[in-house]
Amino acid sequence: MEEYLPFVSIDIWTMIFTWANLIILFLLLKKFLFKPVNKMLAERAAEIEDSYKAAGIAESKAENMKAEYEGKLLSAKAEADGIIKTALETADRRSDSIVTEASDKARRIMEKSRKQAERDKKNAVNEARADIAKMAADIAEKLIGKRFGEDDDEKLISDMIDRI
């Protein structure tokens, strides 16, 4: 058993050197590995945080732009509806004025035609009277054998026509 004792025994100096090596190794790792790694992780975390902030700002701007776009779209729709309404009202007024003008024109044409018909009728009646008077005067001259004055003929014939 003694031969195994050097393997199982505790040597203080070995333990002190091992602990010293471990502390030195820990300090070296801390200085050259942990600090740069932690620094790199902190920088990466800051970059990610900045990216999140930028994304939040971009999202906020996008929402504002969307709201502005929707507002402009509603405004454009309202304006288009107003333009259409105005155009329809203008078209209605114009069609009413065209119908009124056409109606007035038709009424004037009818009135003019009626007056012309009355004039034509009067002229026809006057011509017929004159023709009848002339024929009556011719007949009377042939029957009586003498001719009256033109004024007398006119008066006599007019009285006769009026009686008929």
Side-chain angles (χ1 to χ4, degrees):
M1 195 142 161
E2 281 198 34
E3 44 186 76
Y4 297 113
L5 198 56
F7 290 116
V8 180
S9 69
I10 299 176
D11 186 18
I12 289 282
W13 288 107
T14 305
M15 202 165 22
I16 290 174
F17 283 123
T18 303
W19 277 101
N21 280 337
L22 185 63
I23 290 173
I24 291 170
L25 181 64
F26 175 75
L27 292 175
L28 287 174
L29 286 176
K30 184 179 177 185
K31 177 155 179 110
F32 294 112
L33 181 66
F34 292 145
K35 282 187 180 181
V37 168
N38 283 339
K39 184 180 175 186
M40 183 183 71
L41 289 175
E43 288 174 358
R44 182 68 181 138
E47 284 180 25
I48 291 171
E49 185 66 29
D50 289 343
S51 295
Y52 278 133
K53 285 180 184 177
I57 291 171
E59 183 179 8
S60 170
K61 284 182 181 179
E63 287 177 8
N64 289 340
M65 289 175 67
K66 180 183 176 187
E68 183 180 335
Y69 170 75
E70 288 174 351
K72 285 181 181 180
L73 185 62
L74 288 175
S75 173
K77 283 182 180 179
E79 186 177 339
D81 290 343
I83 289 171
I84 290 170
K85 184 178 178 184
T86 303
L88 288 174
E89 289 172 355
T90 302
D92 285 343
R93 283 194 306 269
R94 182 67 182 138
S95 67
D96 289 345
S97 70
I98 289 172
V99 167
T100 304
E101 286 176 23
S103 172
D104 289 345
K105 190 173 182 180
R107 186 182 44 77
R108 285 192 305 268
I109 290 172
M110 291 295 288
E111 184 66 25
K112 187 176 177 182
S113 297
R114 187 186 58 77
K115 286 180 181 178
Q116 183 65 36
E118 285 177 10
R119 279 193 301 267
D120 290 346
K121 180 181 171 186
K122 246 184 202 176
N123 288 340
V125 167
N126 287 340
E127 283 181 23
R129 273 188 176 178
D131 287 345
I132 291 171
K134 187 172 189 261
M135 286 194 294
D138 288 343
I139 291 172
E141 181 183 347
K142 286 185 183 177
L143 288 175
I144 299 177
K146 105 174 192 181
R147 181 118 179 127
F148 298 113
E150 196 151 316
D151 288 334
D152 293 332
D153 287 345
E154 243 342 274
K155 186 176 177 193
L156 183 63
I157 293 168
S158 290
D159 288 338
M160 233 164 136
I161 291 175
D162 287 337
R163 278 190 241 158
I164 298 176

